[in-house]
Amino acid sequence: MKLQIALDTCNQKEALAILHDVADFIDVIEVGTPMIIEYGMEPVRAISKEFPNKLVLADTKIMDAGEYEADIAFKAGAQIVTVMGITHDETIKGAVKAAKNGNGKILADMMCVQNLEERAKELVELGVDYICVHTAFDVQDKQSPFDSLSKVQNMVGSQHSAIAGGINIHSVDKVIPFKPEIMIVGNGITGQDDRRKTAKMIKQLLV
């Protein structure tokens, strides 16, 4: 399992400081949607340059202009770009085309997808690499991603699965039995007093 850190509500300087603390235990660095909205692709460029041996994910959450927008992120240095699973197939196909041209991968965020299993299968058939079961920040006190992860894995396999949404050191044990390809942690690392220790503990649990 790969451990992905989500960097959402920080600026570039803060993000780099966090990464220098925890990078030894991180496989994928996510430049989160809030950071992209505020600072554009500059953090993607800077982080890709500073950490060339890490996978960098741009959480663009693409809904339209799939090839055009994904291409921007790949050219900035991202190796993984996100699209929304509920968007049009044509948008997905465009993002997948950009990924192939940029030697990258596509992760589909399944927020708000109702026909989870059917859509996961369709997305993988369209060329999406990862299906991410994601409990949105605004509803993390009401929803759990684990039932949805089980459904996705039964349909497309663990190698195509990712999980995000409120995961921390106390809930990692619920993720481990599923063995998704990517486990995404945000505040569960970035918001902790000892980020390095927490990242190390989580990574050791995944091995």
Side-chain angles (χ1 to χ4, degrees):
M1 280 186 281
K2 294 183 178 68
L3 176 56
Q4 176 173 317
I5 186 170
L7 301 169
D8 288 316
T9 57
C10 51
N11 59 37
Q12 183 173 302
K13 182 179 179 181
E14 292 166 339
L16 290 171
I18 291 169
L19 291 171
H20 281 292
D21 278 348
V22 305
D24 290 342
F25 313 108
I26 302 299
D27 303 294
V28 184
I29 300 169
E30 172 189 331
V31 180
T33 312
M35 198 190 304
I36 288 174
I37 288 173
E38 187 161 2
Y39 302 106
M41 286 293 118
E42 190 52 40
V44 175
R45 294 186 187 95
I47 290 169
S48 299
K49 182 178 180 181
E50 189 83 5
F51 297 93
N53 297 321
K54 301 293 181 181
L55 294 172
V56 176
L57 178 146
D59 192 15
T60 45
K61 290 188 173 72
I62 293 170
M63 277 290 289
D64 193 12
E67 182 179 358
Y68 180 79
E69 293 186 2
D71 188 55
I72 291 171
F74 286 123
K75 286 180 177 177
Q79 286 90 36
I80 307 173
V81 171
T82 69
V83 300
M84 297 305 294
I86 59 173
T87 195
H88 302 288
D89 285 358
E90 290 78 7
T91 302
I92 300 291
K93 290 175 183 176
V96 168
K97 182 179 178 181
K100 290 178 179 178
N101 291 338
N103 195 30
K105 294 185 176 182
I106 296 295
L107 179 146
D109 187 315
M110 301 299 275
M111 278 194 297
C112 299
V113 172
Q114 299 300 315
N115 55 333
L116 197 61
E117 293 154 296
E118 179 186 346
R119 188 57 175 159
K121 184 173 184 290
E122 291 173 350
L123 290 168
V124 170
E125 290 174 349
L126 288 169
V128 169
D129 300 282
Y130 305 115
I131 306 297
C132 183
V133 174
H134 184 188
T135 300
F137 175 80
D138 290 337
V139 296
Q140 283 176 9
D141 59 339
K142 300 176 184 178
Q143 296 181 12
S144 167
F146 300 112
D147 290 342
S148 297
L149 179 61
S150 178
K151 293 177 182 179
V152 166
Q153 288 202 328
N154 287 338
M155 185 59 68
V156 302
S158 60
Q159 72 275 20
H160 291 297
S161 301
I163 184 170
I167 297 170
N168 55 45
I169 189 67
H170 304 295
S171 56
V172 172
D173 60 322
K174 296 179 182 178
V175 178
I176 291 171
F178 294 100
K179 296 190 185 321
E181 184 67 17
I182 301 174
M183 186 184 77
I184 303 165
V185 182
N187 189 63
I189 293 175
T190 61
Q192 306 310 301
D193 292 335
D194 192 332
R195 295 183 295 235
R196 182 175 177 83
K197 180 181 178 181
T198 304
K200 181 179 181 179
M201 290 171 64
I202 291 174
K203 182 60 177 176
Q204 287 175 335
L205 291 171
L206 300 185
V207 175

